[in-house]
């Protein structure tokens, strides 16, 4: 299993800002110890493919629809993602689940479709604060994984544990929480990579990397600043080294 650190640029940057940031990354992120991916907005993918094509940086999307083509106004298909060089696609991010109402059933269809088009899905799971307070975190995560991966050959799937209350809040989950959830997820998914996401930054990367069963990060805010992204990758590698 190779460790992976993936940037999730969300809905940031116009096309020139995205291209400039990607160029800076292409010049300064030359890591061979782990995989590094940038999951960008649909609008950016084609240009980023050109920028990253001769580098080790992999390209990913943040979402997709499960059909290949047809009358689905506003949607983007896995065939389109492949045609602009995507290797990864984030599926079931908590913002998709909570703002756009994505269900486990829909997420399962997307994962199956991504796999059948040789895209590596990054399946996001994680509990809300209310679910944690109601002691439902384990049930929610088990359900999201089981339903998300129902009938799926899970090879090449990446899991990202992102507690919803830690995303974009600056509040990183504490060590025990991450350790016990990652151990729990490990029991369900075997040797698939399990990323942690939620307010990862250079100042906490070393501590997070030292947690067992953390095989990388999914990084939002800190991935928008090249120096921060580079620094947190270096810190991860310092602790985890090469597999
Ligand atoms: P954050 O986002 O690093 O800004 O908390 C992580 C994510 O949503 O993937």
């Amino acid at each position: 299993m190779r460790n992976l650190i993936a940037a999730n640029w969300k809905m940031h940057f116009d096309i020139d800002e995205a291209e400039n940031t990607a160029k800076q990354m292409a010049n300064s992120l030359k890591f061979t110890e782990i995989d590094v991916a940038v999951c960008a907005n649909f609008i950016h993918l084609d240009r980023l493919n050109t920028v990253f094509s001769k580098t080790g940086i992999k390209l990913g999307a943040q979402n997709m629809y499960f059909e290949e083509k047809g009358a689905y106004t506003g949607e983007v298909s896995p065939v389109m993602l492949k045609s602009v060089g995507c290797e990864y696609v984030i599926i079931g991010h908590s913002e998709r689940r909570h703002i756009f109402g994505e269900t486990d059933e829909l997420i399962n269809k997307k994962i199956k479709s991504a796999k059948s088009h040789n895209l590596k899905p990054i399946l996001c799971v994680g509990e809300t604060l209310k679910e944690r307070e109601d002691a439902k975190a384990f049930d929610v995560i088990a359900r999201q994984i089981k339903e998300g991966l129902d009938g799926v050959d899970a090879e090449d799937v990446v899991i990202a544990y992102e507690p919803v209350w830690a995303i974009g809040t600056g509040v990183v989950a504490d060590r025990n929480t991450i350790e016990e959830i990652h151990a729990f997820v490990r029991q369900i998914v075997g040797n698939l990579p399990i990323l942690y996401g939620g307010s990862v930054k250079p100042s906490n990367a070393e501590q997070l990397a030292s947690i067992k069963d953390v095989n990388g990060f999914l990084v939002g805010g800190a991935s928008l600043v090249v120096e921060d992204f580079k620094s947190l990758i270096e810190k991860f590698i310092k602790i985890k080294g090469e597999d």
Side-chain angles (χ1 to χ4, degrees):
M1 181 210 311
R2 251 173 92 75
N3 292 323
L4 167 69
I5 295 187
N8 175 9
W9 282 359
K10 306 194 182 185
M11 199 176 73
H12 291 286
F13 296 147
D14 66 22
I15 186 73
D16 292 326
E17 290 165 338
E19 186 174 39
N20 289 337
T21 307
K23 282 182 177 162
Q24 288 175 45
M25 286 192 174
N27 286 330
S28 68
L29 308 185
K30 301 199 170 153
F31 300 103
T32 53
E33 299 90 339
I34 65 165
D35 287 332
V36 173
V38 174
C39 299
N41 195 276
F42 295 134
I43 297 286
H44 305 147
L45 292 173
D46 191 29
R47 281 226 211 153
L48 264 52
N49 188 26
T50 308
V51 176
F52 291 149
S53 63
K54 290 189 184 66
T55 75
I57 301 173
K58 325 247 185 204
L59 191 60
Q62 300 169 10
N63 180 30
M64 55 167 250
Y65 195 52
F66 59 85
E67 295 285 1
E68 281 186 6
K69 61 179 175 182
Y72 305 102
T73 302
E75 293 298 312
V76 173
S77 83
V79 178
M80 295 169 182
L81 297 185
K82 284 303 281 187
S83 75
V84 290
C86 284
E87 180 171 332
Y88 290 95
V89 56
I90 298 173
I91 305 279
H93 189 277
S94 67
E95 286 147 20
R96 303 276 346 147
R97 293 177 188 265
H98 298 294
I99 303 173
F100 302 101
E102 292 200 5
T103 61
D104 290 312
E105 192 188 348
L106 177 64
I107 288 163
N108 178 248
K109 286 184 180 160
K110 292 184 176 192
I111 301 248
K112 284 181 174 153
S113 171
K115 287 262 334 177
S116 74
H117 290 89
N118 290 321
L119 286 158
K120 296 176 183 164
I122 302 176
L123 169 62
C124 298
V125 299
E127 79 286 1
T128 62
L129 188 56
K130 170 108 181 40
E131 288 163 342
R132 171 152 292 274
E133 284 167 355
D134 293 347
K136 290 191 184 136
F138 290 97
D139 290 348
V140 167
I141 290 162
R143 189 205 71 226
Q144 290 173 335
I145 295 174
K146 285 184 180 144
E147 295 189 15
L149 296 184
D150 187 37
V152 173
D153 162 14
E155 199 194 334
D156 283 338
V157 174
V158 176
I159 306 290
Y161 169 55
E162 300 203 301
V164 178
W165 43 274
I167 295 177
T169 56
V171 180
V172 73
D174 65 82
R175 189 181 185 89
N176 288 346
T177 301
I178 300 172
E179 206 162 67
E180 68 178 10
I181 298 282
H182 278 240
F184 176 71
V185 174
R186 175 71 64 220
Q187 284 174 11
I188 307 174
V189 304
N191 66 355
L192 298 184
I194 309 171
L195 314 185
Y196 170 77
S199 297
V200 177
K201 28 183 191 270
S203 59
N204 57 28
E206 256 183 73
Q207 223 215 341
L208 292 167
S210 71
I211 300 174
K212 188 168 180 283
D213 287 319
V214 169
N215 309 119
F217 302 136
L218 183 55
V219 188
S223 74
L224 300 170
V225 179
V226 178
E227 276 316 306
D228 287 352
F229 193 50
K230 182 179 182 188
S231 161
L232 67 86
I233 296 171
E234 285 168 344
K235 290 185 166 157
F236 179 89
I237 291 172
K238 185 174 149 206
I239 300 293
K240 280 273 187 326
E242 193 168 359
D243 296 305

